[in-house]
Amino acid sequence: MAHWGVLPFAGALLVWSADRPLNETFRIPADGLVLGRDLLDEHLRGHRDDRISRSHTRLSVEAAHVRVTDLGSRNGTFSNGHTVAESIVVTPPSILRTGRSVWVIVPDVRRYEHVPLQRRGGLVVAGTLDPLCRELDDIANAEANVLLYGPLSIGRELAASYAGTIGGEVVRFDPETMKVPLERVINQRSLRTLILELGSTMPERDAETLATWLETDIRVATVVRDLRWLNELPSELVARLAMRRIDVPKQRFDELPAQVFEQSCAMSPAAPLHATVIERCLLDSFRVDEDTLQVEVRGALLRWCISGNPALRGEDLDLPDSLRHNDCIHADYHLVAPRLAAYRRGAGNLPRDEGE
């Protein structure tokens, strides 16, 4: 017997169908929700999932869980990467694949409703990041310093958005990779916003320079994935840097598929993404952050370019530890592309650049 009142707003997010990202929300009513071609025909114009059955899978709420029942579909139902033989009970959030469509079962669907996918700089924004972006705009308009804690790839883009709202000249400083004193980076410039990316210990000299410049009208957006690097700074400086703090979500089910799609199009517009790629990325987001996911997708796309396979599939994201730091994976795609093209024409080995 279904106890619908325990999760009255449980629902399913349709985040991918056929060959494109989506952001459609469906609440699970008391009598259950049937996923399938009939549902897609009713809510999506011109959907192209030819692998989903008319009535594919039923979702029903049971206490604090959701029962997933395959309705005799032709191509099966997959829950968290495993085949559903007949019926299984899952605890939201949970990843579901039916045909070429990928869903996320969530305990409360309201935060995702009526928020379309949109681009903000290099970020795809929907229900997860939209409230943070609006809060960030308020912080920028108040000209308060902000601390962005979470995956660096998201933090960088949010920091750039913050700087854009403030206006004026922007400088990015990463003491780990730039290997130059902060004073040389910002001195004699009409600087308005400093984007400070902390990935290691900040040299004492740079900390002193930063404290001095904070006495001016410079505003700072600090991006950090590990708070220990921030806690090594003097407490007075930390208090000034973290006037406002935003914790970046480590999982964004509604936005990640579109972000992966954008990354794929930027690197190789011809690469068709199989639904299992999206399924795999969503499942991996439970164990690794988005920075790591981007590296995995980047490596898979580069390997796909030289493989000749018809589509990029979820299993193509598997990467041995010995290759995780391969230069080819981290190289700029626009530099690697000509070498990959030559390889696919039958050269047999990647040609070496002149001077190598």
Side-chain angles (χ1 to χ4, degrees):
M1 179 178 178
H3 300 281
W4 183 61
V6 178
L7 290 177
F9 302 106
L13 308 178
L14 177 60
V15 297
W16 184 270
S17 188
D19 58 357
R20 68 188 67 179
L22 296 170
N23 186 32
E24 300 292 332
T25 58
F26 301 89
R27 295 192 184 190
I28 303 176
D31 58 350
L33 174 69
V34 175
L35 310 180
R37 193 163 61 250
D38 284 347
L39 183 69
L40 298 185
D41 284 340
E42 180 181 354
H43 293 274
L44 300 177
R45 295 183 58 185
H47 82 84
R48 297 184 292 176
D49 185 352
D50 55 359
R51 300 298 180 87
I52 194 169
S53 300
R54 185 174 298 278
S55 296
H56 199 112
T57 306
R58 176 184 293 277
L59 305 181
S60 54
V61 177
E62 296 185 1
H65 309 284
V66 173
R67 179 170 292 279
V68 178
T69 303
D70 183 80
L71 300 176
S73 64
R74 182 179 61 180
N75 292 300
T77 299
F78 298 84
S79 174
N80 295 325
H82 302 286
T83 303
V84 177
E86 293 183 359
S87 181
I88 189 174
V89 174
V90 300
T91 301
S94 185
I95 312 303
L96 196 68
R97 178 166 58 87
T98 58
R100 299 167 65 200
S101 298
V102 181
W103 315 72
V104 183
I105 303 172
V106 294
D108 191 338
V109 77
R110 290 174 295 178
R111 64 180 293 186
Y112 305 104
E113 293 177 331
H114 314 302
V115 186
L117 291 169
Q118 53 191 315
R119 293 191 63 177
R120 182 163 177 145
L123 278 180
V124 174
V125 175
T128 299
L129 288 183
D130 182 68
L132 273 66
C133 289
R134 287 188 274 110
E135 180 183 359
L136 193 61
D137 287 342
D138 292 340
I139 295 172
N141 289 326
E143 297 195 352
N145 298 327
V146 63
L147 170 67
L148 297 162
Y149 171 53
L152 297 181
S153 55
I154 303 176
R156 291 188 193 105
E157 294 294 339
L158 291 176
S161 176
Y162 165 88
T165 301
I166 290 180
E169 186 172 356
V170 182
V171 168
R172 174 184 169 273
F173 181 68
D174 178 356
E176 181 180 20
T177 61
M178 297 184 71
K179 306 298 183 183
V180 295
L182 176 60
E183 185 176 9
R184 287 180 55 187
V185 175
I186 64 177
N187 200 21
Q188 297 179 345
R189 304 182 71 154
S190 55
L191 181 62
R192 190 70 182 90
T193 306
L194 173 67
I195 297 177
L196 175 63
E197 187 174 314
L198 282 181
S200 62
T201 301
M202 189 175 193
E204 183 177 350
R205 179 181 176 182
D206 288 340
E208 293 173 354
T209 300
L210 181 59
T212 300
W213 278 88
L214 282 173
E215 298 294 337
T216 68
D217 61 352
I218 286 180
R219 292 296 168 258
V220 181
T222 305
V223 181
V224 61
R225 184 167 59 180
D226 190 334
L227 289 178
R228 60 178 170 166
W229 308 125
L230 189 72
N231 293 333
E232 290 183 355
L233 298 175
S235 57
E236 299 84 358
L237 181 57
V238 173
R240 299 184 67 178
L241 291 175
M243 295 171 64
R244 299 282 294 275
R245 170 174 164 172
I246 290 181
D247 290 348
V248 180
K250 294 183 178 179
Q251 292 174 310
R252 47 190 195 121
F253 302 118
D254 53 336
E255 299 157 348
L256 181 60
Q259 194 76 58
V260 171
F261 180 72
E262 292 275 336
Q263 182 182 4
S264 171
C265 290
M267 290 184 61
S268 180
L273 297 183
H274 194 270
T276 53
V277 172
I278 304 303
E279 176 189 41
R280 171 66 181 273
C281 287
L282 289 169
L283 289 172
D284 280 357
S285 71
F286 285 96
R287 63 179 183 84
V288 299
D289 64 19
E290 194 162 322
D291 297 336
T292 303
L293 275 177
Q294 287 191 9
V295 172
E296 290 183 350
V297 172
R298 187 182 186 88
L301 284 166
L302 290 174
R303 293 192 301 277
W304 174 84
C305 286
I306 62 176
S307 70
N309 293 332
L312 185 68
R313 302 180 64 89
E315 55 265 30
D316 295 328
L317 270 67
D318 291 328
L319 185 62
D321 290 338
S322 60
L323 296 179
R324 286 188 181 276
H325 301 289
N326 188 291
D327 290 340
C328 181
I329 293 172
H330 296 277
D332 187 284
Y333 177 72
H334 299 291
L335 300 178
V336 175
R339 303 171 67 193
L340 296 176
Y343 183 94
R344 297 190 72 179
R345 286 195 299 267
N349 293 293
L350 286 176
R352 301 177 68 84
D353 292 333
E354 292 184 6
E356 284 188 338

